[in-house]
Amino acid sequence: MEHRPGTTVRARLTARGLKLTAAPVLALWPLGQRGLRPAFALDLAAPVALPTPRWARVERVRAGDVRAEWVRAPRASDDRVVLYFHGGGFFCCGLRTHRRMVARISAAAGASALSVAYRQLPAAPLAVSVRDCVDAYRWLLEQGHDPARIVVAGDSAGGFLAFAATLRAMDEGLPRPAAIVAMAPLTDLDHTAKAAHPNARTDAYLPARRVRRLAELLTEGVVPLDPALSPVNADLSGLPPVLIQVGSTEMLLPDAELMAAKLSAAGVPCRLQVWEGQVHVFQVFADLVPEGLAALHEVGAFVREHTVPAAVPAPRVRRRRRIRRTAAA
């Protein structure tokens, strides 16, 4: 575990602003089939507040049957890939809301980033979201990308999918990726520990009490909740190295801590970074919060560290025999 102490004034002001604006909306938003439908508008409006950086190149593609887009920073390598799953509670956000942050990850990692528009609520339950993410990974492999040069990443719900899709892909016989990056991941659909944790009262904008209703929607109302659906309860022993970043005051801190403990117990190298006083997925606020930019630089360093190509032995040079000439010759 690595603690990142210190909270800037801008980080505290951002947290205060989210508590006054986003928190009331999320606390009252109707979590139902009809109530979730308007949520797609958030992604459509995102370019106004979060415009794509001018230096980033964006290319829309179909990753199999899944909509996706390549996001590339200048000098980003096509030989190193970050497969990114956006957050948003499985019902909102998308390619546009996260494009600016994904571009920054591409720049920090020196890698091309494939951002995936997996299907979400209310159109699709959790099983479909996971399947879309596995299909995107399979498509990358079919395109000839080396799994040892692919890092699977995501934030919040996307962090859940980074673990769930990797585990499913490996169960289906696909090679494991080089590493996993999870920013403030949801790892346990059971709301009990989160609701009882002190952070349920300190989180800037996520309402812990609503996780139970979200889990019901994701599993199409199946009761009781199957623990096997949560990545934290899976056999984690085959996973690649993991980086988890989380804020110290956010609701999903217990999920991050539990996942890190389970990974370590399974023998998986894991770094858990706890950033003091930061809000949920503070990295997306990197334009306002200096800590967000610093965290993304650490993500980039982690991606580079775990996607270094294996050293290729130098070819043997065949030396010519030197013939010593004699005076008689």
Side-chain angles (χ1 to χ4, degrees), residues 26-97:
L26 292 175
L28 299 174
W29 193 290
L31 292 182
Q33 292 295 319
R34 301 177 86 180
L36 293 181
R37 284 176 189 153
F40 77 95
L42 180 62
D43 190 51
L44 295 178
V48 177
L50 298 167
T52 305
R54 293 182 179 180
W55 44 261
R57 291 181 292 122
V58 179
E59 177 190 357
R60 295 180 182 178
V61 293
R62 296 288 299 188
D65 292 329
V66 184
R67 289 192 307 111
E69 66 181 26
W70 283 110
V71 181
R72 295 181 175 94
R75 297 182 295 279
S77 171
D78 286 331
D79 190 39
R80 175 188 283 135
V81 175
V82 175
L83 177 60
Y84 198 86
F85 307 134
H86 67 81
F90 298 100
F91 68 90
C92 69
C93 297
L95 301 180
R96 298 175 185 86
T97 56

Side-chain angles (χ1 to χ4, degrees), residues 178-238:
I180 295 174
V181 174
M183 294 179 280
L186 171 69
T187 62
D188 191 356
L189 292 177
D190 187 348
H191 72 289
T192 308
K194 288 180 278 293
H197 195 276
N199 281 14
R201 295 181 293 277
T202 61
D203 192 292
Y205 63 100
L206 289 186
R209 62 184 178 80
R210 312 216 71 189
V211 176
R212 180 176 182 177
R213 175 57 181 155
L214 179 62
E216 291 174 354
L217 291 170
L218 289 169
T219 58
E220 300 180 294
V222 176
V223 178
L225 184 68
D226 183 1
L229 295 175
S230 297
V232 76
N233 297 321
D235 178 4
L236 306 174
S237 57

Side-chain angles (χ1 to χ4, degrees), residues 79-80 146 148-149 304 306-312:
D79 190 39
R80 175 188 283 135
D146 182 357
R149 303 272 284 168
R304 290 177 185 269
H306 292 283
T307 55
V308 175
V312 178

Side-chain angles (χ1 to χ4, degrees), residues 5-44:
T7 311
T8 60
V9 172
R10 282 192 280 175
R12 291 195 291 270
L13 290 175
T14 299
R16 179 69 61 86
L18 289 168
K19 185 168 287 189
L20 294 174
T21 55
V25 173
L26 292 175
L28 299 174
W29 193 290
L31 292 182
Q33 292 295 319
R34 301 177 86 180
L36 293 181
R37 284 176 189 153
F40 77 95
L42 180 62
D43 190 51
L44 295 178

Side-chain angles (χ1 to χ4, degrees), residues 257-297:
E257 292 177 331
L258 181 58
M259 191 63 170
K262 291 285 189 75
L263 287 165
S264 296
V268 177
C270 176
R271 291 170 58 190
L272 171 63
Q273 296 181 347
V274 181
W275 293 71
E276 182 183 348
Q278 299 306 313
V279 300
H280 180 61
V281 193
F282 62 97
Q283 299 88 339
V284 82
F285 304 109
D287 289 293
L288 301 173
V289 179
E291 294 91 333
L293 193 58
L296 291 178
H297 283 305

